[in-house]
């Protein structure tokens, strides 16, 4: 049964609940909410965690009035307008659907969920029209730099985009993977392709638009894990541009990078976990008038990419009752590219946009039950429905 609620006016506070009280909640969700609450009607009314001591401590430290260990009870008693999910991917589908059915909008930490099938189930639980909707945390596409470059590319101010490079080369040591749930399909949701590189891949899609086909390879070169620890891909976009994608947790010199070569300029972003205007560089082609290049390089006031930047827009959409960015088809496109990369890597075939649907093994699981990659039966958890939502990695942006 779906419960509908009226949308908060600009005078009525938006009631927010945080689900999961680990590192990502403390390091990103709570600070973003607290910053925005200082300038607009917003109140954090509750937090949820299956660890009673953890949620009580979290609420006491943050001044949140109502700690809960049961999501359903919290939804029934507090009737929040917005639920932010800071739990591992395997819990996202059930928690998101429960919140949507209670009339709450959802802001869900990436990775969105372990499969396209799960994502489609979430979208089916939304209420078309004025919501509620579920949006994914893809904060790298927000902020002044990404907005400015997106507008330049959309208007082809620098000419057609031709060649792109998308790089997430990070480093994770054995201590990182000593945590039992890491490196497992059921709990981490995938390797660096899903858990780390999805941020830059999402930004690349947001800048270049729809992709058409992908070829890929993946490997376990260092770590003894179920998932990959490195992947590479070649992607063709509908606009004709071609791109290389590299995702790694084997790289001591860590960097996140996007480079797009257009007919009249190269635009490049180099950062690690978040970017500002100064992290973008535009190099004009020979013959481009300096005054035109100066216009391209004028990014305006600096708004860093952040949870706060994305949440600002989401709250505006919630109050207006309109679908937010990174929800529905806009949120699904990055997960579809991830699923297609895994399918291309594990099968050796070229995968085309839109081909992974019901009946395809990669629709229900990102590993696609591929020999050598799927979890063995003895490794698969029998029932995760009551498992404790383990804390997200200390590296909040990951």
């Amino acid at each position: 049964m779906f419960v509908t609620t009226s949308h908060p006016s600009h005078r009525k506070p938006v009631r927010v609940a945080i689900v999961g009280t680990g590192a990502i909640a403390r390091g990103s969700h709570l600070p973003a909410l607290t910053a925005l609450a200082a300038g607009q009607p917003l109140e954090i009314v509750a937090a949820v965690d299956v660890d009673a001591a953890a949620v009580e401590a979290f609420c006491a430290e943050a001044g949140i009035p109502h700690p809960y260990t049961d999501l359903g009870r919290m939804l029934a008693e507090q009737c929040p307008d917005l639920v932010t999910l800071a739990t591992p991917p395997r819990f996202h589908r059930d928690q998101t659907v429960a919140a949507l059915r209670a009339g709450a909008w959802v802001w869900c930490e990436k990775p969105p969920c372990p499969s396209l099938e799960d994502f489609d189930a979430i979208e089916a639980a939304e209420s078309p029209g004025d919501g509620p909707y579920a949006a994914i945390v893809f904060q790298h596409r927000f902020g002044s730099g990404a907005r400015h470059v997106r507008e330049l590319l959309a208007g082809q101010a620098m000419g057609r985009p031709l060649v792109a490079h998308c790089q997430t080369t990070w480093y994770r040591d054995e201590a990182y993977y000593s945590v039992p749930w890491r490196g497992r399909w059921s709990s981490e949701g995938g390797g660096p392709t899903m858990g780390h590189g999805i941020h830059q891949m999402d930004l690349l899609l947001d800048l270049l638009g729809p992709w058409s086909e992908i070829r890929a390879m993946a490997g376990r070169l260092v770590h003894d894990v179920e998932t990959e620890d490195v992947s590479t891909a070649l992607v063709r976009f509908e606009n004709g541009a071609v791109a290389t994608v590299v995702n790694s947790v084997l790289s001591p010199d860590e960097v996140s990078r996007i480079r797009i070569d257009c007919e009249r300029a190269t635009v490049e972003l180099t950062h690690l976990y978040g970017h500002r205007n100064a992290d973008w560089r535009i190099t004009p082609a020979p013959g481009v008038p300096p005054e035109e290049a100066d216009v391209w390089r004028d990014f305006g006031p600096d708004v860093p990419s952040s949870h706060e930047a994305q949440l600002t827009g989401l709250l505006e959409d919630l109050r207006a009752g309109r679908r937010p960015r990174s929800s529905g088809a806009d949120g699904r496109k990055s997960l579809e590219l991830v699923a297609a990369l895994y399918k291309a890597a594990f099968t050796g075939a070229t995968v085309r946009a839109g081909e992974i649907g019901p009946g395809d093994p990669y629709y229900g699981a990102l590993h696609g039950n591929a020999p050598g990659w799927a979890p063995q039966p003895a490794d698969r958890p029998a029932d995760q429905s009551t498992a404790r939502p383990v804390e997200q990695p200390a590296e909040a942006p990951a």
Side-chain angles (χ1 to χ4, degrees):
M1 177 180 177
F2 289 80
V3 178
T4 59
T5 60
S6 59
H7 297 288
S9 69
H10 286 279
R11 294 176 299 277
K12 180 181 177 182
V14 175
R15 295 169 56 83
V16 183
I18 300 173
V19 180
T21 61
I24 198 70
R26 292 176 177 272
S28 297
H29 288 234
L30 180 61
L33 289 164
T34 301
L36 292 176
Q40 63 177 284
L42 182 153
E43 57 183 1
I44 308 172
V45 297
V48 182
D49 196 293
V50 294
D51 186 326
V55 70
E56 288 170 4
F58 181 82
C59 287
E61 293 168 11
I64 300 172
H66 302 292
Y68 286 87
T69 57
D70 183 273
L71 174 62
R73 181 181 174 189
M74 184 280 292
L75 293 170
E77 293 182 358
Q78 297 302 323
C79 300
D81 302 304
L82 174 66
V83 170
T84 76
L85 293 183
T87 53
R90 70 171 180 257
F91 300 103
H92 289 172
R93 172 178 174 169
D94 290 346
Q95 292 173 340
T96 300
V97 170
L100 290 169
R101 289 180 172 171
W105 288 47
V106 177
W107 193 40
C108 179
E109 190 59 51
K110 69 86 204 160
C113 48
S115 71
L116 289 169
E117 181 178 30
D118 287 335
F119 194 98
D120 290 347
I122 289 171
E123 188 173 0
E126 295 177 330
S127 296
D130 59 358
Y133 294 110
I136 308 302
V137 175
F138 282 135
Q139 77 273 19
H140 286 227
R141 64 159 94 167
F142 294 83
S144 52
R147 180 179 64 249
H148 178 65
V149 172
R150 184 169 55 248
E151 291 172 354
L152 290 175
L153 292 170
Q156 294 198 359
M158 300 178 293
R160 292 183 300 122
L162 304 172
V163 182
H165 177 65
C166 179
Q167 176 184 353
T168 305
T169 44
W170 294 358
Y171 188 77
R172 298 293 181 263
D173 59 15
E174 291 301 319
Y176 177 88
Y177 284 105
S178 67
V179 178
W181 63 272
R182 289 182 177 148
R184 299 173 68 90
W185 294 105
S186 64
S187 47
E188 196 166 23
T193 309
M194 174 68 157
H196 304 79
I198 194 171
H199 271 310
Q200 299 315 300
M201 294 165 69
D202 177 75
L203 179 54
L204 185 71
L205 290 172
D206 197 54
L207 296 175
L208 288 183
W211 61 280
S212 58
E213 62 177 339
I214 184 171
R215 304 174 186 180
M217 291 190 292
R220 300 186 194 100
L221 302 186
V222 173
H223 300 292
D224 182 16
V225 292
E226 286 182 352
T227 65
E228 86 289 1
D229 57 14
V230 63
S231 71
T232 63
L234 300 174
V235 184
R236 190 185 307 276
F237 286 80
E238 287 186 3
N239 61 16
V242 292
T244 62
V245 177
V246 180
N247 303 297
S248 166
V249 286
L250 310 178
S251 309
D253 183 10
E254 295 186 293
V255 69
S256 304
R257 179 180 291 122
I258 285 179
R259 171 181 169 133
I260 302 173
D261 296 321
C262 301
E263 292 175 302
R264 306 182 67 224
T266 291
V267 57
E268 185 170 15
L269 167 66
T270 304
H271 66 116
L272 187 56
Y273 294 146
H275 52 82
R276 310 179 69 97
N277 287 352
D279 297 317
W280 295 83
R281 184 178 66 177
I282 296 179
T283 305
V288 171
E291 58 272 18
E292 187 172 6
D294 289 342
V295 172
W296 298 343
R297 291 171 174 147
D298 182 5
F299 284 75
D302 191 7
V303 179
S305 68
S306 65
H307 283 65
E308 182 179 343
Q310 180 176 1
L311 186 58
T312 298
L314 176 62
L315 289 171
E316 292 174 356
D317 295 330
L318 188 156
R319 291 185 181 280
R322 62 181 175 237
R323 178 177 285 282
R325 294 183 65 199
S326 80
S327 70
D330 186 45
R332 188 184 191 274
K333 62 186 182 184
S334 299
L335 183 61
E336 182 188 11
L337 182 60
V338 167
L341 192 156
Y342 282 130
K343 181 177 180 178
F346 298 164
T347 65
T350 298
V351 177
R352 290 172 173 77
E355 79 170 52
I356 301 178
D360 189 304
Y362 290 87
Y363 180 70
L366 292 180
H367 52 70
N369 290 314
W373 289 101
Q376 298 302 306
D379 297 331
R380 296 178 184 175
D383 180 12
Q384 292 290 349
S385 60
T386 58
R388 180 179 186 274
V390 289
E391 184 173 293
Q392 289 279 58
E395 302 83 6

